[in-house]
Amino acid sequence: MSQAGRTNHVDPGVPDCTRLQGAGDERLVSIVVPCRNEREHIDAFLDSATAQQLPAGWRMEILVADGESDDGTGERIQARAALDARLVPVANPGRIVSTGLNACLARARGAVIVRMDVHTQFAPDYVAQCIAALQRTSADNVGGAWVARGEGAMGQAIAAAFQSRWVVGGALSRDVAYEGEADTVYLGCWPRQTFARVGGFDETLVRNQDDEHNLRLRLTGGRVWQSALIRSWYRPRDALGHLFRQQVQYGYWRPFVMKKHGQPGSVRQLVPAVFVAALVVTAMLAWAWPWPFVGLIAVYATYVLGVSGGAAWPSTAARAGGPASWGKIQRFVSLAPRVFLAVAAYHLGYGLGTWRGLFDLARGRRLSGALAKLTR
């Protein structure tokens, strides 16, 4: 986990993390977890986190930053912490993910920092594989693929769209078999010196703070590594309205990251905004000259239908198994229409959010109220 040859560069827009410059406890891993209003899920998550199988000689502390929950989450964390000294409740008056992560970092004592998420199921050796990947690669951040497992009919459709390479622009972060350098990874695991060098998470960002941190890390000469051995399963939204609002927020905060660094984390992140702009221009032109643009509209529809079918079939095959069968075809026919709606929500939500973010930046960054708050 050597940092030789790296120059310290703490971004002036984020909290100073130079206190993490020391080696920390060499056999202690600090797990950092931001949350808010997770009463229904916090116990299952803590059961999973405390059951992690660590390498021989390693210990862990689990720092949970509660964003002033009003559903009893904070009280439940305190109750669990009274029974397990490894659990450390942390106050997060800022309420959002970035402030929660930084609050945990300020208390972290370990040589290794691992981020976890309440809505994610982790393999029993998740933390052990993170530590092994750091030792094997000497990277500045390591993580696994971002894999979704939906619940219910719509949740499964949203997960199928989430995993489609066509929906996410071929992002390596969705490829469970990929091993190598990447532009970002799901959640993350860092040697503590990474934060001393590049700083903590940008507290002006409600969303995309992880992508921005990885971009900042890479711009200062750091490496991000994705390992196929680091396994977890994310539970996505299970309703179209929730998904659409989430994607609007993700898209909204993208221009703020671009403004800060003068570039996006990846070109694929601009595609939804271009797609929405093309739809608007096509609709305006079709109003005056309808027939020449009927074919173009048909192309758009065919694209979305094709992407939806391509996303639905692998999910159907994975669940049904075996060669093509009538049952598999029935499942595909049932899943595909919902995937179509999910694909539309991903593209339109992210694209519309990006344009709204650009609009607010042009007005002098007067943040839209609902988009400046974290939603689940």
Side-chain angles (χ1 to χ4, degrees):
M1 291 181 279
S2 171
Q3 299 293 316
R6 305 280 173 79
T7 301
N8 282 8
H9 174 80
V10 177
D11 191 302
V14 301
D16 184 358
C17 289
T18 52
R19 63 163 295 278
L20 293 173
Q21 184 70 56
D25 189 324
E26 292 185 357
R27 292 289 177 174
L28 178 68
V29 56
S30 298
I31 296 173
V32 298
V33 189
C35 71
R36 173 173 164 77
N37 288 342
E38 299 289 2
R39 181 63 178 81
E40 295 182 6
H41 307 285
I42 191 65
D43 278 304
F45 165 75
L46 290 175
D47 289 343
S48 173
T50 55
Q52 283 291 304
Q53 302 166 1
L54 300 181
W58 281 77
R59 298 169 293 110
M60 68 178 172
E61 61 177 0
I62 305 171
L63 301 104
V64 185
D66 177 55
E68 298 187 341
S69 297
D70 53 20
D71 69 343
T73 299
E75 291 78 0
R76 190 59 197 152
I77 296 170
Q78 293 286 349
R80 292 287 298 259
L83 302 174
D84 191 334
R86 296 174 298 175
L87 301 182
V88 182
V90 177
N92 176 21
R95 298 188 176 187
I96 60 175
V97 171
S98 52
T99 58
L101 289 172
N102 287 335
C104 289
L105 290 176
R107 299 276 298 274
R109 298 179 296 114
V112 173
I113 314 292
V114 173
R115 179 181 171 185
M116 283 189 164
D117 173 72
V118 174
H119 289 271
T120 299
Q121 177 186 354
F122 297 90
D125 65 347
Y126 181 87
V127 173
Q129 291 294 349
C130 285
I131 294 171
L134 280 183
Q135 295 173 335
R136 184 173 67 250
T137 66
S138 296
D140 299 87
N141 182 18
V142 301
W146 197 354
V147 181
R149 284 183 178 176
E151 298 178 359
M154 184 53 72
Q156 292 171 19
I158 290 172
F162 182 90
Q163 295 302 140
S164 170
R165 65 186 304 271
W166 296 105
V167 175
V168 298
L172 291 175
S173 61
R174 305 296 203 273
D175 185 350
V176 297
Y178 178 73
E179 178 87 25
E181 291 198 29
D183 54 7
T184 190
V185 288
Y186 183 49
L187 299 177
C189 168
W190 308 260
R192 65 188 288 118
Q193 293 94 336
T194 293
F195 294 104
R197 185 168 61 85
V198 302
F201 294 90
D202 190 334
E203 296 184 357
T204 67
L205 300 175
V206 174
R207 296 285 190 185
N208 299 323
Q209 69 284 328
D210 48 352
D211 283 347
E212 188 278 332
H213 193 268
N214 281 318
L215 175 59
R216 188 175 356 128
L217 187 158
R218 291 186 291 111
L219 289 175
T220 56
R223 292 194 307 143
V224 179
W225 188 275
Q226 182 169 312
S227 171
L229 299 177
I230 300 174
R231 298 169 299 141
S232 66
W233 301 272
Y234 164 73
R235 183 172 65 83
R237 271 56 172 177
D238 57 7
L240 277 178
H242 294 163
L243 173 66
F244 182 79
R245 287 191 291 274
Q246 178 200 40
Q247 293 305 307
V248 168
Q249 275 201 333
Y250 278 130
Y252 178 81
W253 289 98
R254 181 58 54 191
F256 295 95
V257 175
M258 293 167 57
K259 180 176 184 292
K260 179 176 180 178
H261 294 289
Q263 66 181 76
S266 172
V267 174
R268 66 174 179 272
Q269 296 162 347
L270 305 178
V271 173
V274 174
F275 180 70
V276 167
L279 286 177
V280 171
V281 171
T282 299
M284 293 173 62
L285 293 175
W287 182 262
W289 303 287
W291 293 113
F293 297 97
V294 169
L296 186 55
I297 293 172
V299 170
Y300 289 153
T302 301
Y303 165 75
V304 177
L305 285 169
V307 169
S308 302
W313 183 254
S315 179
T316 298
R319 287 182 175 270
S325 65
W326 177 241
K328 187 180 294 187
I329 293 172
Q330 285 181 311
R331 174 171 173 76
F332 172 76
V333 171
S334 173
L335 184 64
R338 294 187 179 92
V339 175
F340 174 84
L341 296 174
V343 170
Y346 274 112
H347 283 314
L348 294 177
Y350 199 103
L352 288 170
T354 300
W355 283 112
R356 182 56 186 271
L358 289 168
F359 178 68
D360 279 0
L361 272 178
R363 293 191 305 163
R365 197 173 185 177
R366 289 174 289 185
L367 302 180
S368 302
L371 296 172
K373 299 177 181 178
L374 187 64
T375 61
R376 170 63 198 177

